[in-house]
mmCIF file of all heavy atoms in Angstrom:
data_model
loop_
_atom_site.group_PDB
_atom_site.id
_atom_site.type_symbol
_atom_site.label_atom_id
_atom_site.label_comp_id
_atom_site.label_asym_id
_atom_site.label_seq_id
_atom_site.Cartn_x
_atom_site.Cartn_y
_atom_site.Cartn_z
ATOM 1 N N LEU A 1 -2.113 -18.867 -6.371
ATOM 2 C CA LEU A 1 -2.284 -18.074 -7.474
ATOM 3 C C LEU A 1 -2.564 -18.859 -8.691
ATOM 4 O O LEU A 1 -1.789 -19.914 -8.937
ATOM 5 C CB LEU A 1 -0.935 -17.144 -7.802
ATOM 6 C CG LEU A 1 -0.856 -16.422 -8.960
ATOM 7 C CD1 LEU A 1 -1.901 -15.191 -8.976
ATOM 8 C CD2 LEU A 1 0.526 -15.743 -9.073
ATOM 9 N N VAL A 2 -3.503 -18.517 -9.431
ATOM 10 C CA VAL A 2 -3.964 -19.277 -10.564
ATOM 11 C C VAL A 2 -4.364 -18.419 -11.592
ATOM 12 O O VAL A 2 -4.984 -17.315 -11.448
ATOM 13 C CB VAL A 2 -5.029 -20.348 -10.170
ATOM 14 C CG1 VAL A 2 -6.364 -19.648 -9.680
ATOM 15 C CG2 VAL A 2 -5.307 -21.367 -11.226
ATOM 16 N N GLN A 3 -4.283 -18.797 -12.973
ATOM 17 C CA GLN A 3 -4.686 -17.976 -14.015
ATOM 18 C C GLN A 3 -6.225 -18.338 -14.155
ATOM 19 O O GLN A 3 -6.790 -19.215 -13.836
ATOM 20 C CB GLN A 3 -3.985 -18.450 -15.326
ATOM 21 C CG GLN A 3 -2.466 -18.043 -15.268
ATOM 22 C CD GLN A 3 -1.822 -18.362 -16.611
ATOM 23 O OE1 GLN A 3 -2.304 -19.295 -17.402
ATOM 24 N NE2 GLN A 3 -0.659 -17.576 -16.848
ATOM 25 N N PRO A 4 -6.862 -17.270 -14.884
ATOM 26 C CA PRO A 4 -8.282 -17.455 -15.223
ATOM 27 C C PRO A 4 -8.551 -18.765 -15.921
ATOM 28 O O PRO A 4 -7.765 -19.035 -16.872
ATOM 29 C CB PRO A 4 -8.598 -16.198 -15.963
ATOM 30 C CG PRO A 4 -7.658 -15.224 -15.551
ATOM 31 C CD PRO A 4 -6.374 -15.972 -15.279
ATOM 32 N N GLY A 5 -9.641 -19.354 -15.576
ATOM 33 C CA GLY A 5 -9.793 -20.722 -16.167
ATOM 34 C C GLY A 5 -9.286 -21.841 -15.490
ATOM 35 O O GLY A 5 -9.451 -23.053 -15.779
ATOM 36 N N GLY A 6 -8.327 -21.628 -14.489
ATOM 37 C CA GLY A 6 -7.572 -22.721 -13.842
ATOM 38 C C GLY A 6 -8.380 -23.275 -12.753
ATOM 39 O O GLY A 6 -9.667 -22.954 -12.497
ATOM 40 N N SER A 7 -7.877 -24.180 -12.066
ATOM 41 C CA SER A 7 -8.468 -24.940 -10.895
ATOM 42 C C SER A 7 -7.575 -24.997 -9.673
ATOM 43 O O SER A 7 -6.380 -24.931 -9.765
ATOM 44 C CB SER A 7 -8.692 -26.448 -11.361
ATOM 45 O OG SER A 7 -9.503 -26.481 -12.522
ATOM 46 N N LEU A 8 -8.326 -25.151 -8.567
ATOM 47 C CA LEU A 8 -7.747 -25.321 -7.218
ATOM 48 C C LEU A 8 -8.653 -26.229 -6.467
ATOM 49 O O LEU A 8 -9.879 -26.174 -6.655
ATOM 50 C CB LEU A 8 -7.577 -23.979 -6.495
ATOM 51 C CG LEU A 8 -6.439 -23.006 -6.908
ATOM 52 C CD1 LEU A 8 -6.509 -21.721 -6.195
ATOM 53 C CD2 LEU A 8 -5.115 -23.716 -6.702
ATOM 54 N N ARG A 9 -8.092 -26.914 -5.524
ATOM 55 C CA ARG A 9 -8.904 -27.739 -4.590
ATOM 56 C C ARG A 9 -8.511 -27.294 -3.147
ATOM 57 O O ARG A 9 -7.378 -27.390 -2.764
ATOM 58 C CB ARG A 9 -8.540 -29.215 -4.780
ATOM 59 C CG ARG A 9 -9.497 -30.178 -3.992
ATOM 60 C CD ARG A 9 -9.192 -31.540 -4.263
ATOM 61 N NE ARG A 9 -10.111 -32.436 -3.622
ATOM 62 C CZ ARG A 9 -9.836 -33.285 -2.718
ATOM 63 N NH1 ARG A 9 -8.610 -33.242 -2.132
ATOM 64 N NH2 ARG A 9 -10.666 -34.083 -2.077
ATOM 65 N N LEU A 10 -9.475 -26.821 -2.413
ATOM 66 C CA LEU A 10 -9.170 -26.385 -1.080
ATOM 67 C C LEU A 10 -9.685 -27.394 -0.154
ATOM 68 O O LEU A 10 -10.532 -28.272 -0.425
ATOM 69 C CB LEU A 10 -10.063 -25.078 -0.799
ATOM 70 C CG LEU A 10 -9.867 -23.968 -1.800
ATOM 71 C CD1 LEU A 10 -10.690 -22.694 -1.230
ATOM 72 C CD2 LEU A 10 -8.426 -23.600 -1.893
ATOM 73 N N SER A 11 -9.122 -27.573 1.054
ATOM 74 C CA SER A 11 -9.465 -28.479 1.992
ATOM 75 C C SER A 11 -9.657 -27.738 3.275
ATOM 76 O O SER A 11 -9.009 -26.630 3.564
ATOM 77 C CB SER A 11 -8.381 -29.592 2.168
ATOM 78 O OG SER A 11 -7.228 -29.024 2.697
ATOM 79 N N CYS A 12 -10.447 -28.214 4.116
ATOM 80 C CA CYS A 12 -10.784 -27.676 5.535
ATOM 81 C C CYS A 12 -10.833 -28.679 6.498
ATOM 82 O O CYS A 12 -11.583 -29.629 6.391
ATOM 83 C CB CYS A 12 -12.122 -26.948 5.511
ATOM 84 S SG CYS A 12 -12.687 -26.453 7.123
ATOM 85 N N ALA A 13 -9.891 -28.633 7.453
ATOM 86 C CA ALA A 13 -9.861 -29.729 8.459
ATOM 87 C C ALA A 13 -10.297 -29.047 9.829
ATOM 88 O O ALA A 13 -9.900 -27.944 10.264
ATOM 89 C CB ALA A 13 -8.325 -30.146 8.670
ATOM 90 N N ALA A 14 -11.150 -29.967 10.555
ATOM 91 C CA ALA A 14 -11.646 -29.512 11.777
ATOM 92 C C ALA A 14 -10.927 -30.322 12.882
ATOM 93 O O ALA A 14 -10.675 -31.563 12.680
ATOM 94 C CB ALA A 14 -13.223 -29.755 11.894
ATOM 95 N N SER A 15 -10.698 -29.709 13.966
ATOM 96 C CA SER A 15 -9.940 -30.419 15.019
ATOM 97 C C SER A 15 -10.666 -31.365 15.813
ATOM 98 O O SER A 15 -10.119 -32.052 16.584
ATOM 99 C CB SER A 15 -9.322 -29.372 15.873
ATOM 100 O OG SER A 15 -10.322 -28.510 16.583
ATOM 101 N N ARG A 16 -12.003 -31.422 15.652
ATOM 102 C CA ARG A 16 -12.957 -32.311 16.309
ATOM 103 C C ARG A 16 -13.869 -33.055 15.502
ATOM 104 O O ARG A 16 -14.403 -32.391 14.467
ATOM 105 C CB ARG A 16 -13.651 -31.534 17.486
ATOM 106 C CG ARG A 16 -12.773 -31.329 18.804
ATOM 107 C CD ARG A 16 -13.550 -30.497 19.811
ATOM 108 N NE ARG A 16 -14.992 -30.577 19.800
ATOM 109 C CZ ARG A 16 -15.674 -29.684 20.558
ATOM 110 N NH1 ARG A 16 -15.039 -28.755 21.220
ATOM 111 N NH2 ARG A 16 -17.062 -29.671 20.399
ATOM 112 N N ARG A 17 -14.133 -34.203 15.665
ATOM 113 C CA ARG A 17 -14.995 -35.115 14.898
ATOM 114 C C ARG A 17 -16.491 -34.594 14.865
ATOM 115 O O ARG A 17 -17.127 -34.968 13.997
ATOM 116 C CB ARG A 17 -14.867 -36.515 15.306
ATOM 117 C CG ARG A 17 -13.553 -37.121 14.915
ATOM 118 C CD ARG A 17 -13.495 -38.626 15.184
ATOM 119 N NE ARG A 17 -12.332 -39.249 14.681
ATOM 120 C CZ ARG A 17 -12.057 -39.622 13.550
ATOM 121 N NH1 ARG A 17 -12.975 -39.520 12.520
ATOM 122 N NH2 ARG A 17 -10.820 -40.088 13.147
ATOM 123 N N ASP A 18 -16.771 -33.805 15.896
ATOM 124 C CA ASP A 18 -18.269 -33.514 15.937
ATOM 125 C C ASP A 18 -18.648 -32.623 14.763
ATOM 126 O O ASP A 18 -19.919 -32.357 14.477
ATOM 127 C CB ASP A 18 -18.767 -32.897 17.266
ATOM 128 C CG ASP A 18 -17.788 -31.657 17.605
ATOM 129 O OD1 ASP A 18 -17.089 -31.305 16.836
ATOM 130 O OD2 ASP A 18 -17.991 -31.142 18.777
ATOM 131 N N CYS A 19 -17.768 -32.223 13.997
ATOM 132 C CA CYS A 19 -18.103 -31.429 12.766
ATOM 133 C C CYS A 19 -18.711 -32.166 11.838
ATOM 134 O O CYS A 19 -19.373 -31.718 10.912
ATOM 135 C CB CYS A 19 -16.859 -30.647 12.174
ATOM 136 S SG CYS A 19 -16.056 -29.509 13.374
ATOM 137 N N SER A 20 -18.573 -33.502 11.847
ATOM 138 C CA SER A 20 -19.115 -34.402 10.824
ATOM 139 C C SER A 20 -20.655 -34.305 10.795
ATOM 140 O O SER A 20 -21.236 -34.713 9.805
ATOM 141 C CB SER A 20 -18.524 -35.702 10.973
ATOM 142 O OG SER A 20 -18.905 -36.374 12.169
ATOM 143 N N SER A 21 -21.268 -33.906 11.908
ATOM 144 C CA SER A 21 -22.679 -33.890 12.017
ATOM 145 C C SER A 21 -23.264 -32.508 11.756
ATOM 146 O O SER A 21 -24.451 -32.437 11.752
ATOM 147 C CB SER A 21 -23.075 -34.293 13.477
ATOM 148 O OG SER A 21 -22.670 -33.357 14.394
ATOM 149 N N ARG A 22 -22.426 -31.622 11.386
ATOM 150 C CA ARG A 22 -22.862 -30.263 11.051
ATOM 151 C C ARG A 22 -22.971 -29.891 9.667
ATOM 152 O O ARG A 22 -22.213 -30.500 8.774
ATOM 153 C CB ARG A 22 -21.862 -29.329 11.764
ATOM 154 C CG ARG A 22 -21.575 -29.513 13.200
ATOM 155 C CD ARG A 22 -22.718 -29.107 14.128
ATOM 156 N NE ARG A 22 -22.831 -27.656 14.117
ATOM 157 C CZ ARG A 22 -22.161 -26.891 14.960
ATOM 158 N NH1 ARG A 22 -21.175 -27.323 15.851
ATOM 159 N NH2 ARG A 22 -22.211 -25.544 14.997
ATOM 160 N N THR A 23 -23.817 -29.074 9.336
ATOM 161 C CA THR A 23 -23.872 -28.482 7.937
ATOM 162 C C THR A 23 -22.728 -27.549 7.848
ATOM 163 O O THR A 23 -22.541 -26.599 8.720
ATOM 164 C CB THR A 23 -25.146 -27.844 7.637
ATOM 165 O OG1 THR A 23 -26.308 -28.810 7.610
ATOM 166 C CG2 THR A 23 -25.175 -27.137 6.194
ATOM 167 N N MET A 24 -21.786 -27.807 6.857
ATOM 168 C CA MET A 24 -20.597 -26.952 6.781
ATOM 169 C C MET A 24 -20.678 -26.212 5.460
ATOM 170 O O MET A 24 -21.295 -26.487 4.485
ATOM 171 C CB MET A 24 -19.320 -27.849 6.728
ATOM 172 C CG MET A 24 -19.130 -28.634 8.060
ATOM 173 S SD MET A 24 -18.830 -27.549 9.433
ATOM 174 C CE MET A 24 -17.102 -26.992 8.934
ATOM 175 N N GLY A 25 -19.991 -24.918 5.502
ATOM 176 C CA GLY A 25 -19.954 -24.169 4.317
ATOM 177 C C GLY A 25 -18.680 -23.599 3.986
ATOM 178 O O GLY A 25 -17.745 -23.468 4.845
ATOM 179 N N TRP A 26 -18.597 -23.213 2.786
ATOM 180 C CA TRP A 26 -17.527 -22.402 2.302
ATOM 181 C C TRP A 26 -17.838 -20.954 2.153
ATOM 182 O O TRP A 26 -18.964 -20.674 1.572
ATOM 183 C CB TRP A 26 -16.888 -23.042 1.063
ATOM 184 C CG TRP A 26 -15.933 -24.106 1.209
ATOM 185 C CD1 TRP A 26 -16.275 -25.481 1.024
ATOM 186 C CD2 TRP A 26 -14.507 -24.118 1.674
ATOM 187 N NE1 TRP A 26 -15.137 -26.356 1.290
ATOM 188 C CE2 TRP A 26 -14.091 -25.528 1.652
ATOM 189 C CE3 TRP A 26 -13.702 -23.058 2.012
ATOM 190 C CZ2 TRP A 26 -12.914 -25.789 2.011
ATOM 191 C CZ3 TRP A 26 -12.364 -23.554 2.222
ATOM 192 C CH2 TRP A 26 -11.949 -24.805 2.394
ATOM 193 N N TYR A 27 -16.975 -20.144 2.713
ATOM 194 C CA TYR A 27 -17.282 -18.724 2.636
ATOM 195 C C TYR A 27 -16.077 -17.973 1.987
ATOM 196 O O TYR A 27 -14.991 -18.605 1.905
ATOM 197 C CB TYR A 27 -17.380 -18.052 4.111
ATOM 198 C CG TYR A 27 -18.561 -18.665 4.867
ATOM 199 C CD1 TYR A 27 -18.466 -19.933 5.421
ATOM 200 C CD2 TYR A 27 -19.700 -17.926 5.222
ATOM 201 C CE1 TYR A 27 -19.532 -20.447 6.180
ATOM 202 C CE2 TYR A 27 -20.617 -18.366 6.041
ATOM 203 C CZ TYR A 27 -20.611 -19.676 6.530
ATOM 204 O OH TYR A 27 -21.571 -20.191 7.264
ATOM 205 N N ARG A 28 -16.345 -16.861 1.480
ATOM 206 C CA ARG A 28 -15.148 -16.018 0.953
ATOM 207 C C ARG A 28 -15.359 -14.602 1.239
ATOM 208 O O ARG A 28 -16.521 -14.138 1.309
ATOM 209 C CB ARG A 28 -14.959 -16.327 -0.518
ATOM 210 C CG ARG A 28 -16.085 -15.908 -1.491
ATOM 211 C CD ARG A 28 -15.710 -16.421 -2.824
ATOM 212 N NE ARG A 28 -16.831 -16.007 -3.817
ATOM 213 C CZ ARG A 28 -16.942 -16.233 -5.087
ATOM 214 N NH1 ARG A 28 -15.936 -17.043 -5.661
ATOM 215 N NH2 ARG A 28 -17.918 -15.936 -5.880
ATOM 216 N N GLN A 29 -14.252 -13.954 1.296
ATOM 217 C CA GLN A 29 -14.314 -12.548 1.556
ATOM 218 C C GLN A 29 -13.302 -11.876 0.655
ATOM 219 O O GLN A 29 -12.003 -12.027 0.616
ATOM 220 C CB GLN A 29 -13.934 -12.129 2.920
ATOM 221 C CG GLN A 29 -14.099 -10.795 3.350
ATOM 222 C CD GLN A 29 -14.049 -10.404 4.876
ATOM 223 O OE1 GLN A 29 -13.472 -11.129 5.554
ATOM 224 N NE2 GLN A 29 -14.520 -9.218 5.198
ATOM 225 N N ALA A 30 -13.825 -11.155 -0.355
ATOM 226 C CA ALA A 30 -12.954 -10.405 -1.337
ATOM 227 C C ALA A 30 -12.678 -9.044 -0.686
ATOM 228 O O ALA A 30 -13.339 -8.466 0.222
ATOM 229 C CB ALA A 30 -13.783 -10.114 -2.569
ATOM 230 N N PRO A 31 -11.513 -8.319 -1.175
ATOM 231 C CA PRO A 31 -11.126 -7.111 -0.608
ATOM 232 C C PRO A 31 -12.216 -6.105 -0.654
ATOM 233 O O PRO A 31 -12.940 -5.899 -1.676
ATOM 234 C CB PRO A 31 -10.008 -6.756 -1.520
ATOM 235 C CG PRO A 31 -9.474 -7.998 -2.110
ATOM 236 C CD PRO A 31 -10.578 -8.899 -2.214
ATOM 237 N N GLY A 32 -12.446 -5.500 0.485
ATOM 238 C CA GLY A 32 -13.566 -4.425 0.580
ATOM 239 C C GLY A 32 -14.916 -4.959 0.604
ATOM 240 O O GLY A 32 -15.943 -4.163 0.489
ATOM 241 N N LYS A 33 -15.048 -6.232 0.595
ATOM 242 C CA LYS A 33 -16.477 -6.796 0.760
ATOM 243 C C LYS A 33 -16.614 -7.583 1.895
ATOM 244 O O LYS A 33 -15.753 -8.049 2.558
ATOM 245 C CB LYS A 33 -16.640 -7.657 -0.642
ATOM 246 C CG LYS A 33 -16.673 -6.817 -1.844
ATOM 247 C CD LYS A 33 -17.021 -7.738 -3.034
ATOM 248 C CE LYS A 33 -17.086 -6.979 -4.328
ATOM 249 N NZ LYS A 33 -17.332 -7.775 -5.452
ATOM 250 N N GLN A 34 -17.954 -7.882 2.156
ATOM 251 C CA GLN A 34 -18.323 -8.674 3.298
ATOM 252 C C GLN A 34 -18.024 -10.232 2.952
ATOM 253 O O GLN A 34 -18.118 -10.553 1.818
ATOM 254 C CB GLN A 34 -19.761 -8.465 3.697
ATOM 255 C CG GLN A 34 -20.003 -7.182 4.285
ATOM 256 C CD GLN A 34 -21.460 -7.069 4.833
ATOM 257 O OE1 GLN A 34 -22.413 -7.771 4.338
ATOM 258 N NE2 GLN A 34 -21.735 -6.191 5.887
ATOM 259 N N ARG A 35 -17.900 -10.930 4.022
ATOM 260 C CA ARG A 35 -17.711 -12.318 3.878
ATOM 261 C C ARG A 35 -19.099 -12.930 3.430
ATOM 262 O O ARG A 35 -20.118 -12.542 3.983
ATOM 263 C CB ARG A 35 -17.336 -12.972 5.207
ATOM 264 C CG ARG A 35 -17.026 -14.480 5.121
ATOM 265 C CD ARG A 35 -16.536 -14.954 6.437
ATOM 266 N NE ARG A 35 -15.246 -14.335 6.854
ATOM 267 C CZ ARG A 35 -14.763 -14.288 8.071
ATOM 268 N NH1 ARG A 35 -15.544 -14.742 9.123
ATOM 269 N NH2 ARG A 35 -13.627 -13.729 8.327
#
């Protein structure tokens, strides 16, 4: 939970190293909306 104007740092860990060769993306899904 953060106030407007604030900052957060997200991390994503993959269980296998082969992800390092892939194009990776961040997605988000808001309530009632598509990812």
Side-chain angles (χ1 to χ4, degrees):
L1 174 63
V2 63
Q3 292 185 337
S7 299
L8 284 174
R9 186 174 188 255
L10 307 184
S11 65
C12 168
S15 60
R16 279 175 23 191
R17 289 188 176 275
D18 55 2
C19 294
S20 63
S21 65
R22 307 284 290 274
T23 295
M24 296 294 291
W26 280 99
Y27 300 74
R28 64 186 180 184
Q29 186 168 18
K33 296 186 177 181
Q34 289 189 331
R35 187 176 293 161

